[in-house]
Amino acid sequence: MNFYKKFNIVPKDIVTFTGAGGKTSLIFKLANELKSIGKVLITTTTKMYIPDMEMYENLILQNTSSNLSKGKNNNIDILAKDINFETNKIIGVDEAFLKKHIQNYDYILIEGDGASRKLIKSWNESEPVIPVCSTKVIGIINIDALNKPVSEFIHRTELFCKEFSCKETDVINIETMLKYSNSQDFFKLYSGKRYVFINGVENLIGFETALHIATNLKFEVVIGSIFKDEAYKYKRIAAVILASGFSKRMGKNKSKILYKKETLLENILNKVQNIDFKYSLVVVRNENIENLNQNKYKNFNFILNNNPEKGQSQSVVLGVEYLKEANVDGYMFFPCDQPFLKKESILKLIYYFMKRDKITMPSIKNKFFSPVIFPKRYSEQLLSLTGDRGGKSIIMSEKKKIKVKFNEFLEFHDIDSVKDLDILKKVEGENNGNYSC
């Protein structure tokens, strides 16, 4: 996994790292990737634990004329002012000394603050220390801190509690994590290229938390786990619910069919509403939203399809047209008639899309189903669709697509005919009306 590509690190970049919960690990992860394509210098503007000899080639000290030690990792050098053997830390160099060495290296990686190995840190007035020559700053957030005690997992708890209105006896909840993530503290007064790396994302629960944080951030975001050797750029996805069909095979308006005391349209609206999409749209006919409590779904944009006779493609076109100027990276198209679709499955599809950036769909025994995610680069093809096949023609012509494997056919079953109503009744009966989707 090439982490450096996710942060667009290029030759002669000077990258400063701030935050906590994987900062030093990320620096050495990047250094070990970059050493194969150039010479890497690692340093700090504050203090940093002395790396093991296996992690560097030369340790260069400002206060001596020769290297303190020779390491075993070619093409990675450490630059420091001095060493404090009592704390086992190297002391950071000043910017003037750093500039003398920059020309000898292809990549410069700088630790801009310390966190005493805690998962979250709060900064005093003098931190972080970001050199003016920095071309990028990467702030690190670790979601492992969520639901952990403030008193044990935060560096400078008093400052943190004062800024984010919490107590040392509290646990770090998602609201506090959001406030912290959205603060400008990672970057201080730096106004150049800024990234946030959300670390510790190792399962779907963690991925959902990362989505919640990333959707609300103003900076470029990379999500992943250093432990799992996984990193991928956060992509802004628009959910587009297609609910303007005539339900010809059903013989009645299926979007209004009741399942567990809610309509099929309400069923999918509720699922999408509980996932952090950048935009959420519903393409409908007027009659499909009669009696719908739109205040409950105020985060959705309702788009009227005045030409539903043109087929499902018309709904796709209307959704893409609406989003043409929006800042999105992909479109996730949902039918309104999959009552058994699980939230976890939606998250799984989004996860694979973010990792691979290709058309992404559920697959069971080599058959593909909805919902499907299209990267934005397919916009023009989607806008040119006609007829009742939706995006199937694009999917069939595309060789490089992601088929995410699932096991349950029922989960992706469409309620298309009167016969399918028996399935609804059977499932609801088996679960006493409490079937959890």
Side-chain angles (χ1 to χ4, degrees):
M1 173 65 69
N2 290 323
F3 273 56
Y4 77 92
K5 291 183 178 179
K6 310 307 176 186
F7 298 102
N8 298 316
I9 296 175
V10 297
K12 296 305 176 183
D13 258 345
I14 302 169
V15 189
T16 298
F17 299 77
T18 67
K23 185 170 63 254
T24 305
S25 297
L26 180 59
I27 289 172
F28 280 95
K29 168 68 180 170
L30 290 167
N32 280 293
E33 290 180 353
L34 294 166
K35 72 175 186 177
S36 63
I37 54 175
K39 196 162 179 61
V40 182
L41 179 67
I42 295 173
T43 188
T44 178
T45 54
T46 54
K47 295 177 183 178
M48 182 180 183
Y49 284 101
I50 304 171
D52 293 334
M53 293 179 66
E54 287 77 12
M55 300 172 75
Y56 63 87
E57 182 176 0
N58 297 297
L59 177 54
I60 304 165
L61 294 179
Q62 183 176 354
N63 287 352
T64 182
S65 58
S66 61
N67 297 344
L68 178 77
S69 62
K70 194 83 173 174
K72 302 176 181 179
N73 198 355
N74 292 339
N75 264 8
I76 300 176
D77 288 351
I78 310 291
L79 185 68
K81 183 178 181 180
D82 210 339
I83 290 182
N84 184 329
F85 287 100
E86 291 184 4
T87 61
N88 198 36
K89 289 183 178 182
I90 58 175
I91 299 169
V93 298
D94 57 56
E95 193 158 354
F97 185 68
L98 173 62
K99 285 181 178 179
K100 291 180 181 178
H101 289 265
I102 284 174
Q103 62 186 356
N104 301 323
Y105 295 88
D106 300 295
Y107 306 96
I108 294 89
L109 309 179
I110 304 169
E111 186 166 288
D113 56 12
S116 295
R117 295 180 172 172
K118 298 291 180 72
L119 290 179
I120 286 183
K121 77 159 295 174
S122 197
W123 293 266
N124 60 30
E125 291 182 359
S126 63
E127 292 181 311
V129 183
I130 300 172
V132 175
C133 60
S134 300
T135 58
K136 291 181 174 74
V137 174
I138 300 173
I140 290 89
I141 298 168
N142 196 316
I143 63 166
D144 283 341
L146 196 62
N147 299 319
K148 299 289 197 310
V150 168
S151 59
E152 295 179 32
F153 289 86
I154 291 177
H155 181 49
R156 297 204 182 96
T157 54
E158 186 177 343
L159 286 175
F160 185 91
C161 291
K162 184 178 180 180
E163 182 173 359
F164 300 106
S165 302
C166 61
K167 300 175 183 177
E168 293 191 21
T169 53
D170 291 343
V171 297
I172 305 163
N173 59 32
I174 190 63
E175 289 78 17
T176 303
M177 185 78 87
L178 280 173
K179 289 177 185 176
Y180 174 75
S181 305
N182 268 306
S183 73
Q184 299 284 330
D185 296 346
F186 293 98
F187 310 108
K188 205 171 185 179
L189 300 176
Y190 182 79
S191 59
K193 196 68 176 176
R194 299 175 290 180
Y195 290 85
V196 168
F197 176 52
I198 303 177
N199 188 25
V201 181
E202 293 164 11
N203 52 42
L204 275 182
I205 295 172
F207 180 68
E208 183 178 10
T209 301
L211 271 188
H212 190 53
I213 294 171
T215 305
N216 291 282
L217 286 179
K218 305 166 187 174
F219 321 109
E220 287 203 42
V221 180
V222 176
I223 298 172
S225 165
I226 299 170
F227 175 75
K228 285 184 67 177
D229 191 27
E230 187 171 84
Y232 40 92
K233 289 186 178 181
Y234 163 70
K235 294 177 179 62
R236 297 165 291 272
I237 301 175
V240 183
I241 298 172
L242 308 175
S244 63
F246 284 113
S247 310
K248 291 179 181 178
R249 281 179 286 176
M250 180 66 69
K252 61 180 178 178
N253 191 337
K254 63 182 177 182
S255 69
K256 293 186 176 182
I257 290 172
L258 287 175
Y259 176 63
K260 295 197 303 182
K261 298 181 181 179
E262 64 182 13
T263 66
L264 293 187
L265 178 56
E266 289 170 333
N267 179 281
I268 189 62
L269 289 174
N270 290 333
K271 286 171 184 166
V272 169
Q273 187 163 249
N274 286 321
I275 295 174
D276 287 281
F277 288 99
K278 192 66 179 178
Y279 297 93
S280 297
L281 315 181
V282 193
V283 185
V284 295
R285 290 181 290 135
N286 262 325
E287 64 186 80
N288 288 7
I289 53 173
E290 292 171 357
N291 303 318
L292 183 71
N293 182 1
Q294 292 191 42
N295 284 330
K296 181 180 177 182
Y297 305 109
K298 59 186 178 182
N299 293 330
F300 288 87
N301 291 296
F302 288 84
I303 303 168
L304 290 179
N305 183 354
N306 296 317
N307 301 107
E309 69 280 355
K310 292 184 178 181
Q312 189 187 81
S313 295
Q314 180 65 11
S315 295
V316 172
V317 169
L318 287 171
V320 175
E321 276 183 344
Y322 184 91
L323 294 161
K324 203 167 186 180
E325 302 302 320
N327 185 21
V328 296
D329 301 298
Y331 317 102
M332 188 167 192
F333 294 100
F334 292 87
C336 72
D337 58 354
Q338 288 183 332
F340 312 119
L341 181 65
K342 298 175 184 176
K343 178 182 180 181
E344 292 77 13
S345 299
I346 298 172
L347 289 168
K348 185 177 177 181
L349 289 165
I350 295 170
Y351 164 74
Y352 276 97
F353 172 72
M354 289 199 184
K355 281 185 65 177
R356 305 289 294 278
D357 193 29
K358 293 180 173 66
I359 293 174
T360 304
M361 71 201 94
S363 173
I364 302 175
K365 295 184 178 179
N366 291 321
K367 292 183 178 181
F368 72 84
F369 301 87
S370 294
V372 180
I373 310 177
F374 287 87
K376 190 178 182 178
R377 61 180 175 272
Y378 289 90
S379 295
E380 294 306 316
Q381 288 172 261
L382 291 166
L383 288 169
S384 66
L385 291 173
T386 58
D388 204 34
R389 282 174 56 81
K392 288 182 181 178
S393 58
I394 301 173
I395 294 169
M396 298 305 292
S397 65
E398 181 55 72
K399 293 180 181 179
K400 294 181 180 180
K401 48 186 176 261
I402 308 302
K403 297 178 181 179
V404 183
K405 291 183 179 181
F406 291 88
N407 297 315
E408 296 181 40
F409 278 104
L410 180 64
E411 185 175 357
F412 303 100
H413 186 78
D414 298 336
I415 306 302
D416 282 333
S417 64
V418 174
K419 185 178 179 181
D420 293 328
L421 293 178
D422 293 334
I423 297 174
L424 278 181
K425 293 175 183 176
K426 181 180 179 182
V427 172
E428 188 165 20
E430 286 175 353
N431 292 277
N432 297 316
N434 291 314
Y435 182 82
S436 175
C437 292

